[in-house]
Amino acid sequence: MKDMKKEKIRQILKSLAAPVIICLLILAAVLFIINHKNSNDNEEAIVPYSYEGGEDTVVLENDKLKLEMDPLTTQFTLTVKETGKVWRSNPENAANDTVALPEEKANLQSPLIMSYAVVTGLETTYDTHTYSTANQIYNITQDGDSLRVDYSLGDVIKEYVIPPVITKDSLDGWLSKMDKDAVNFIQQYYKKYDINKLGKKDNKDELLANYPILENNIIYVLRDKTKENVRKKMEQSFADAGYTYDDYLADKAQDMSVKNSDKPIFNVSVVYKLEGNDLVVEIPMKDLKYKKDSPIYTLTPLPYFGAGGQDEDGYMFVPEGGGALINFNNGKVSQSSYYTNVYGWDMCLSRDAVVHNTRAYYGVFGVSEGDNSFICTLEEGSPYASIQADISGKNNSYNYVNAVYSICQREQYDVGDIANSDVYEYVPSLPDETLTRRYTFINSGSYVDMAKEYGTYLQDKYGDSLSMNDDTSAPVAIEMIGAIDKVKQILGIPVKRPVKLTSYKEAADIIKDLDESGVENMSVKLTGWCNGGVDQKLLKSAKTIGALGSKKDLKNLVKTGEDTGAKVYLDGITQYANDSNLLDGFFSYRDAAKLISKEQAKLYDYSHITYAQRENSDHLYYLLHTNLAMNIADKFADTAASYGAGVSYQDMGKDLSSDFYRKNTHSRQSVKSLQEEEFKKVQSEGTPIMINMGNDYAVPYASMVTGMDLRGSEYTILDQCVPFYQIAVHGRVNYTGDPVNIGGNQENEVLYSAEYGAGLYFAFMNETSFATQKTLYTDYYGATYSAWKDKMVDICTRYNNELGHTFNQEMVDHENITEDLSRTEYADGTNVYVNYGYSDAQTPDGKTVPARDYLVVR
């Protein structure tokens, strides 16, 4: 009997378990919502600035520059004293632009444009002309050599000179001076309060707190929802009755209530400094104020600085590839505007599709007008920037280039069928960083002089790391492909196994062979030498591949490089985990970087057909947590040094990504700083460094940069491609373009290298292309050494004989003579003519440059 009772009780308790759990979950959700709501309700109110200064021009001046700001608009002119050239923050006649719509006219008159977003992803743009200076919700302060403009941006209610609170006796006095229509009109917009006759819904304590005069007076309070057109009409009636601003201030002082608006308001501060011949512009991120439900999404300071009109001649410089020019008023109004991400995409931000990756490996843009120009160099905060440019005749009558910063990054949630709109989560807080840019003014309209000025900036910043080299022959980069992975059947089970393309010993033999064939100044990158091959597993420790040979063979390979004057670099991936699991020391929950949503940073390849993620493909990989990635990079440099080799970072110095790991968040700027510190450390220890692509902060520490994007994407809106970046660094850093033999167009790669002062780059394997069949590595089809050796030696021999002496010199001039013919000049007077055309071309002094070839004149 007792057992039956116990069993019955057990069944009852069991049946109650599920409802109890559900109730607890509901209670937890309710508590979360309440706490979340309370946290939002407790947000500190954003206090708008107020301009109380005069109308006198605000001046900031040193011995080189003079900045004069109109305090009523915050627009300014900047005069270069040596030449008298005047640069304007905004076009002079923007308000009268015949092309621009009203909203665009407001943008043209704004020294700052901001956008904010909400949880659905909807973006709204605020300009300082309409949403700040017009309402005088800003402030200007000058402190020594700096000028600070504090903007509040918001759709605020304009202040009208009408009593917000007034006693009955006072109101009756003013109404007695108005006609009957005005009295009837005004009375309907005031609410009467009598402390002895309050309504049921009136809160006595709250009313007394808001309006203390109510205790002894009958009062009238202006209704909150009174529209602006009504307030304006009331203002006129009160003014006609003799109501003054002093009367308004006296009545306003009786109003202790806090008027809350549903419309968001934002505070942004911009600091201007003059440093020699430079204008430095700063935006402290700690001073950005916004509500969490409407975060600042983008900021564009000085969007139209130096903009050229339709009657002006000039061009804009943009960092596409080595550099590109967009002529003012080029008439390409049907083409898309120019846009590129500085340092490419942040891999810790998800994206559904990729049509085209935009990237600039240095953050510089500029404008040239006549015999004057400027460059703008992005400093702190450059990883958040994108550079954009457009021509006149589209949205307005001006040609402009600027940089826009992404402030509060966001992540889209997949909410499926439970919501009718997108849902986004934004970063919860901002780092204590300062968005900094430097405008340098040049007394020349030449892009060559602009590039030289940038080179001087880099030399001053990096010192001995960018000293001139002593090369007497053309640098040649050789990538040796060690092993790739291929699926094999083992006991009927498909298993990935490394397949040898070039063993350590075979790589050594190739180096010897090239040295004996007269190829000099070689930098040898050994790719796919460890941890499974080219699709390298997590690099916590580097393990050689048995199919390629022993550790002794690897050391002998490095020794062969030393004996022949070549430097061997061991290549590795330090920021990603490819095809890795617990057996490889990779635990994704612990080791992967986190997205804003706190999901693991899983990465996929993208389809060339649909442009969408290939989520069903076998190639899933992870972005590593920043701390782990930097630790791996440091240990890998030690590993390379232990073999006597240099270290080749396949990804660091090219890819730059943030990490939203909950307890250890890293902004993209902080990761940039960490990478730069690691490069500096490795260089100081004497280990040579090789990198890919070459972001500007990494290049000074590299002995060789491979795969530098020389020409970029030749967008239709561009008018010329120029070696701007190469002019700045040539003779100080060795760099190459893409591999000649597998880059797609062999002739073009050599011609690009000749014009841009680059070394030559080849990728080789000892096996034939048959070894890459039925793999994902068909890019290596043209990499068989035996098939390419003779042609490669011929290309290198000629290139070195004619151009080898230029690699320890500065590039001093460049011009595009025609659409197909360019000229590059070096410090000793050597001129290199490159003809991209399919027929012979003539130089200005009558020399013939063969079709699809280069000519060196000493």
Side-chain angles (χ1 to χ4, degrees):
M1 189 70 176
K2 289 182 179 180
D3 291 341
M4 290 178 65
K5 286 183 178 180
K6 288 182 180 179
E7 181 61 27
K8 192 171 183 179
I9 292 170
R10 190 181 295 111
Q11 288 178 356
I12 292 171
L13 291 174
K14 189 176 181 181
S15 66
L16 289 174
V20 168
I21 291 172
I22 292 172
C23 289
L24 289 173
L25 289 172
I26 292 172
L27 178 61
V30 170
L31 289 173
F32 172 79
I33 291 170
I34 291 172
N35 290 332
H36 182 70
K37 183 177 186 300
N38 288 339
S39 66
N40 285 340
D41 290 344
N42 292 332
E43 272 192 275
E44 185 178 343
I46 296 173
V47 180
Y49 297 108
S50 177
Y51 182 64
E52 298 177 356
E55 298 183 10
D56 294 337
T57 301
V58 182
V59 179
L60 193 63
E61 187 174 10
N62 65 11
D63 59 339
K64 301 280 188 182
L65 305 171
K66 184 177 183 180
L67 186 152
E68 298 172 274
M69 178 177 287
D70 179 351
L72 301 183
T73 64
T74 69
Q75 297 178 25
F76 64 86
T77 61
L78 190 138
T79 303
V80 181
K81 292 184 176 181
E82 185 175 346
T83 63
K85 170 65 178 177
V86 177
W87 297 96
R88 297 183 179 278
S89 64
N90 301 83
E92 190 171 10
N93 298 310
N96 302 318
D97 189 349
T98 56
V99 176
L101 296 173
E103 184 176 323
E104 186 63 25
K105 287 182 181 179
N107 288 341
L108 287 169
Q109 297 175 78
S110 300
L112 175 75
I113 296 175
M114 183 210 81
S115 75
Y116 72 91
V118 293
V119 69
T120 60
L122 179 67
E123 292 177 48
T124 302
T125 299
Y126 278 178
D127 62 83
T128 54
H129 174 75
T130 305
Y131 295 97
S132 184
T133 54
N135 297 324
Q136 294 196 322
I137 51 172
Y138 66 101
N139 192 31
I140 301 174
T141 55
Q142 189 167 359
D143 182 15
D145 61 352
S146 69
L147 188 63
R148 180 182 176 111
V149 183
D150 298 310
Y151 292 106
S152 293
L153 295 96
D155 190 4
V156 297
I157 298 174
K158 185 178 178 181
E159 191 174 58
Y160 290 89
V161 184
I162 54 178
V165 179
I166 190 168
T167 64
K168 180 180 182 302
D169 292 341
S170 295
L171 182 60
D172 288 344
W174 293 115
L175 294 180
S176 67
K177 301 176 184 180
M178 302 179 193
D179 59 41
K180 185 177 180 181
D181 290 341
V183 171
N184 292 335
F185 179 77
I186 288 172
Q187 284 181 329
Q188 63 183 314
Y189 293 102
Y190 279 94
K191 184 173 181 179
K192 180 180 177 182
Y193 288 104
D194 183 341
I195 194 68
N196 299 313
K197 297 180 182 179
L198 295 178
K200 292 182 180 179
K201 295 183 179 180
D202 294 331
N203 186 319
K204 181 178 178 180
D205 292 337
E206 184 179 337
L207 286 171
L208 287 172
N210 290 338
Y211 316 111
I213 59 170
L214 175 61
E215 188 169 2
N216 301 310
N217 297 274
I218 297 172
I219 65 171
Y220 285 86
V221 177
L222 184 67
R223 297 182 186 275
D224 288 339
K225 295 183 179 180
T226 305
K227 295 182 178 179
E228 288 198 36
N229 62 326
V230 173
R231 292 171 188 257
K232 188 173 183 180
K233 185 175 178 180
M234 293 170 65
E235 183 181 54
Q236 186 60 52
S237 296
F238 274 102
D240 292 344
Y243 190 79
T244 66
Y245 191 70
D246 288 338
D247 295 322
Y248 165 71
L249 292 178
D251 289 331
K252 186 180 178 182
Q254 306 301 326
D255 184 3
M256 302 300 174
S257 64
V258 178
K259 299 291 192 296
N260 292 320
S261 172
D262 292 334
K263 297 178 180 179
I265 191 166
F266 308 87
N267 284 349
V268 181
S269 297
V270 183
V271 180
Y272 300 102
K273 297 178 180 178
L274 299 183
E275 296 182 1
N277 204 42
D278 299 347
L279 167 65
V280 178
V281 182
E282 300 176 345
I283 299 179
M285 295 180 76
K286 67 180 181 180
D287 294 333
L288 297 178
K289 304 298 182 186
Y290 55 89
K291 291 292 185 67
K292 290 183 179 180
D293 60 357
S294 53
I296 297 175
Y297 191 51
T298 65
L299 283 174
T300 311
L302 300 181
Y304 297 100
F305 186 87
Q310 292 180 324
D311 58 347
E312 294 178 278
D313 292 326
Y315 58 80
M316 297 163 286
F317 165 75
V318 294
E320 184 59 35
L325 309 181
I326 304 174
N327 293 331
F328 285 1
N329 314 307
N330 65 15
K332 301 176 183 179
V333 293
S334 62
Q335 301 301 320
S336 298
S337 58
Y338 177 79
Y339 184 91
T340 191
N341 296 302
V342 178
Y343 308 136
W345 185 258
D346 184 339
M347 301 301 285
C348 211
L349 299 175
S350 62
R351 46 184 176 170
D352 294 329
V354 176
V355 177
H356 175 66
N357 272 313
T358 64
R359 68 167 296 133
Y361 49 90
Y362 56 104
V364 182
F365 63 88
V367 171
S368 172
E369 291 181 5
D371 295 329
N372 297 275
S373 61
F374 72 80
I375 57 171
C376 179
T377 305
L378 305 179
E379 298 184 331
E380 186 176 357
S382 58
Y384 311 127
S386 299
I387 294 172
Q388 53 192 10
D390 212 348
I391 58 170
S392 66
K394 296 168 86 172
N395 297 320
N396 55 59
S397 300
Y398 297 94
N399 307 272
Y400 64 91
V401 58
N402 60 48
V404 54
Y405 296 102
S406 295
I407 304 300
C408 292
Q409 303 283 11
R410 65 187 184 185
E411 185 80 21
Q412 183 176 0
Y413 275 109
D414 182 7
V415 293
D417 298 328
I418 66 173
N420 295 323
S421 60
D422 296 331
V423 175
Y424 289 84
E425 182 178 359
Y426 295 82
V427 291
S429 60
L430 295 177
D432 185 6
E433 298 166 356
T434 301
L435 306 177
T436 307
R437 56 176 62 184
R438 180 180 298 272
Y439 293 84
T440 302
F441 301 94
I442 303 150
N443 303 336
S444 167
S446 165
Y447 61 82
V448 173
D449 290 330
M450 295 163 72
K452 289 178 181 177
E453 189 66 38
Y454 178 55
T456 300
Y457 167 84
L458 293 176
Q459 292 156 36
D460 291 342
K461 181 175 182 179
Y462 293 104
D464 292 341
S465 293
L466 269 183
S467 59
M468 295 295 293
N469 67 44
D470 55 4
D471 287 349
T472 56
S473 57
V476 179
I478 309 292
E479 181 176 0
M480 300 286 192
I481 305 150
I484 59 174
D485 58 277
K486 192 171 186 177
V487 176
K488 295 184 177 181
Q489 297 290 330
I490 299 178
L491 299 176
I493 301 172
V495 180
K496 278 187 179 181
R497 284 289 182 263
V499 173
K500 176 187 77 70
L501 297 185
T502 311
S503 69
Y504 306 138
K505 185 176 183 304
E506 289 166 345
D509 291 340
I510 291 173
I511 293 173
K512 287 180 186 176
D513 191 33
L514 290 175
D515 178 60
E516 291 169 359
S517 300
V519 179
E520 303 176 48
N521 198 6
M522 288 185 287
S523 296
V524 180
K525 178 199 299 188
L526 191 58
T527 301
W529 67 277
C530 69
N531 292 28
V534 171
D535 191 30
Q536 173 208 289
K537 295 179 183 293
L538 184 69
L539 195 57
K540 278 188 174 178
S541 62
K543 302 174 183 177
T544 55
I545 298 172
L548 303 184
S550 64
K551 289 185 178 180
K552 183 178 180 181
D553 293 332
L554 181 57
K555 289 182 178 179
N556 288 338
L557 164 60
V558 176
K559 180 69 165 52
T560 299
E562 292 176 358
D563 295 342
T564 58
K567 186 63 188 179
V568 175
Y569 295 81
L570 302 183
D571 187 63
I573 300 169
T574 61
Q575 295 189 75
Y576 303 99
N578 297 322
D579 192 28
S580 302
N581 53 38
L582 286 171
L583 296 177
D584 305 303
F586 177 68
F587 179 35
S588 63
Y589 181 80
R590 176 195 64 199
D591 297 334
K594 298 295 190 295
L595 306 178
I596 295 171
S597 61
K598 303 310 174 189
E599 295 178 6
Q600 297 168 19
K602 295 180 182 178
L603 304 174
Y604 302 89
D605 293 330
Y606 290 85
S607 169
H608 297 300
I609 300 171
T610 66
Y611 307 116
Q613 288 183 350
R614 291 176 170 171
E615 294 190 13
N616 296 323
S617 73
D618 293 333
H619 194 230
L620 163 68
Y621 59 112
Y622 291 84
L623 176 69
L624 293 178
H625 177 37
T626 299
N627 288 5
L628 176 59
M630 297 313 303
N631 182 262
I632 288 174
D634 192 51
K635 288 184 177 179
F636 182 55
D638 293 340
T639 298
S642 71
Y643 284 99
V647 60
S648 171
Y649 293 111
Q650 190 176 136
D651 46 9
M652 196 167 80
K654 175 187 175 186
D655 295 346
L656 182 64
S657 302
S658 48
D659 181 4
F660 302 102
Y661 212 88
R662 189 180 301 276
K663 294 183 179 179
N664 201 347
T665 297
H666 289 278
S667 70
R668 208 178 186 207
Q669 173 66 40
S670 71
V671 176
K672 172 177 177 277
S673 299
L674 288 172
Q675 288 191 9
E676 187 170 352
E677 285 302 314
E678 181 62 24
F679 286 128
K680 192 181 298 185
K681 174 179 177 292
V682 174
Q683 184 195 58
S684 69
E685 292 170 350
T687 303
I689 300 171
M690 179 185 285
I691 58 174
N692 269 326
M693 181 64 75
N695 289 341
D696 55 8
Y697 61 86
V699 166
Y701 306 105
S703 302
M704 170 60 80
V705 182
T706 59
M708 184 176 281
D709 188 1
L710 302 179
R711 299 278 289 197
S713 298
E714 297 184 30
Y715 303 115
T716 307
I717 197 171
L718 306 179
D719 292 297
Q720 292 188 54
C721 294
V722 298
F724 178 94
Y725 187 78
Q726 288 69 31
I727 291 171
V729 302
H730 192 274
R732 302 175 187 278
V733 176
N734 287 331
Y735 55 88
T736 75
D738 291 330
V740 173
N741 57 324
I742 62 172
N745 189 317
Q746 300 160 13
E747 280 186 345
N748 274 357
E749 290 303 331
V750 175
L751 295 179
Y752 294 157
S753 298
E755 180 184 2
Y756 283 72
L760 298 174
Y761 181 20
F762 298 86
F764 290 137
M765 61 184 183
N766 193 67
E767 299 292 330
T768 66
S769 58
F770 178 78
T772 63
Q773 290 183 3
K774 296 183 180 180
T775 72
L776 299 175
Y777 303 95
T778 53
D779 288 348
Y780 297 142
Y781 266 21
T784 301
Y785 174 68
S786 59
W788 250 92
K789 183 228 173 166
D790 292 340
K791 188 173 183 179
M792 180 262 193
V793 170
D794 290 343
I795 291 172
C796 289
T797 300
R798 180 196 168 193
Y799 199 82
N800 185 50
N801 289 341
E802 298 185 25
L803 285 167
H805 68 287
T806 66
F807 286 91
N808 58 9
Q809 300 182 45
E810 291 183 338
M811 193 183 290
V812 298
D813 199 12
H814 176 273
E815 64 174 324
N816 287 312
I817 300 170
T818 68
E819 188 175 338
D820 293 327
L821 183 64
S822 69
R823 178 185 67 86
T824 304
E825 184 179 351
Y826 293 93
D828 69 348
T830 298
N831 283 281
V832 182
Y833 295 92
V834 177
N835 181 9
Y836 293 97
Y838 289 86
S839 59
D840 294 351
Q842 298 295 312
T843 67
D845 58 356
K847 293 182 175 62
T848 300
V849 186
R852 306 286 293 163
D853 205 350
Y854 62 91
L855 173 69
V856 179
V857 179
R858 300 182 67 174

